Amino acid sequence: MFKGPKSLIRRLPGGIARLKRSLRVQLVSLVVLTLAGAICVNLYLSFRSAAAAAQLVTDRTLLASARVIAEAVHVDDSGSVQVEIPPAALEMFDTGFGDQVFYRVTTPWGNLLSGYPDLPSPPVALKGQDLIFHDQSIRALMLEHPVVGLAGDGTIAVTVGVTHGSQYAIRRQLWLSDFANELALVLLAGLVTIIGLQRGLSPILRLRDAVRQRGRDRLDPFPPSMVQTELQPLVHALNEHMESVQNQMAAQRRFVANAAHQLRTPLALIATQAAVAAREVDIRQRDEALQALQKSTRQVTRLAGQLLALSRAEPGNFRPRRDNIDLAALTRSVLEDVAEEALKRSIDLGFDNNGPVNVTGDATMLGELVVNLVDNALRYTPAGGAVTATVKSLRDMAILTVEDTGPGIPEGERTQVFERFYRVIGTQTEGSGLGLAIVREVVDSAGGTIELGDGKDGGLLVLVTLPLGP
């Protein structure tokens, strides 16, 4: 279907933009423009060289013509100076460019022997000079030549001038010859560059085709040797990215499998408890079954909430917010929410701070961080124990510590506990194994650090540092 002029005009800017982004166009343009600049300078110098060469040829011809005329000057028997202009002296300028030749021969005492009386002479002998004669630009040269028979070996002056037709023609031919050579060089360089680019880009095109031909599940690395040495860092970076994606996919699969496993058991238990409650006719036993059902439902709800919090904390899932939060006030609020539970278990819940401590981040996720730290401490602290949270600022960092009097975490397992669904061996306390994983994700996204240590009374000490806000 024929596209109208307006359609072509609308498409033209996009086509130009694509050409500007083309590596071939950029490199060929760079090479050709660089050569063109160098050739322009070279052509200017070539023009000057051609002009000098043409001028030199003209001067040599003028000198030869003047010598021929001077050789024709003689003194006759009566002592008079005579000259008969040889035709060869003028015919040597007949090069087919329509040049006019002017000459003048004068005696030592200034008498005109032959030629144009008003023809000007250059001030310096044997040196050509551009002059104006009869409104024409000419090239003239003067020769002083001794004549045998003149008193005191006197010299005659022979001036020969010629218009610039032949000189300019020689200059033009020399320059055009150089121009043709330079143009051929540019075209050859452009062709060689295009061929070189085609050969040089072929490994990249092969890499592109190899990437396109792979299935979605193929993430094995590409051999760096398939491209040139300069492009191998690109292949290494691509391989590293695919390895990162592969690890992320594997972690996601493990996460889904673990989540399904963690949800399957409480959901099956809920279904069993609901069935038991439905069959019971004894009110007391039915109430016990319903209470167990409520407890299991709370566990599932807690697990689902932690899964959602972990998904939100993962990088790239949500656009990070930049809220200004008082970490001390946030921690106090969380402690107030769990105070009733701590009181039921006779756990001493303490809080220490030295005033407002402002940080910048996602308020919801920072809340999840504090909630999970306090919840973990309460879960693993036996009745009659203590949980103490501290918030303070030191230089440009906010410091949050949560210390408990529970069993702590063995030093050899303090790295693994940040993995999802990891539970310390021998732990009897109910939990999903997601709390510290959520904390780690939130701390990393906020640009902070987290460390595990021993509490003063043998429990666990969690130390979180976050950058201070404005």
Side-chain angles (χ1 to χ4, degrees), residues 451-470:
E451 298 178 10
L452 303 182
D454 294 324
K456 291 181 295 184
D457 297 324
L460 179 67
L461 174 67
V462 182
L463 173 64
V464 174
T465 61
L466 299 171
L468 280 177

Side-chain angles (χ1 to χ4, degrees), residues 252-410:
Q252 193 71 23
R253 285 193 293 267
R254 289 195 303 270
F255 174 76
V256 172
N258 290 332
H261 175 74
Q262 292 290 330
L263 288 170
R264 184 183 299 114
T265 300
L267 288 176
L269 182 59
I270 287 175
T272 302
Q273 291 169 339
V276 170
R279 289 196 305 267
E280 286 293 341
V281 293
D282 186 276
I283 296 177
R284 184 179 59 82
Q285 292 181 351
R286 180 180 296 176
D287 289 341
E288 291 177 355
L290 290 175
Q291 290 176 1
L293 180 61
Q294 288 178 343
K295 182 179 179 182
S296 298
T297 303
R298 285 195 298 269
Q299 291 177 351
V300 172
T301 302
R302 173 62 178 165
L303 177 59
Q306 286 189 312
L307 289 173
L308 290 175
L310 183 60
S311 175
R312 182 183 177 88
E314 289 179 338
N317 285 350
F318 292 90
R319 179 178 297 178
R321 291 162 49 187
R322 307 298 295 173
D323 304 321
N324 292 324
I325 303 128
D326 182 359
L327 186 60
L330 177 63
T331 304
R332 182 184 294 107
S333 175
V334 172
L335 292 174
E336 290 173 354
D337 291 340
V338 299
E340 184 178 353
E341 179 185 353
L343 186 61
K344 289 179 180 179
R345 297 173 54 196
S346 301
I347 294 177
D348 182 11
L349 196 61
F351 178 60
D352 185 21
N353 73 303
N354 57 359
V357 179
N358 293 323
V359 296
T360 302
D362 190 315
T364 302
M365 298 315 301
L366 288 175
E368 286 289 339
L369 181 150
V370 179
V371 166
N372 279 280
L373 287 179
V374 174
D375 181 72
N376 274 3
L378 288 175
R379 283 177 182 274
Y380 292 96
T381 299
V387 173
T388 303
T390 304
V391 178
K392 60 183 178 179
S393 60
L394 181 63
R395 293 188 291 273
D396 58 345
M397 301 300 293
I399 299 176
L400 166 66
T401 62
V402 178
E403 184 179 0
D404 61 55
T405 57
I409 298 176

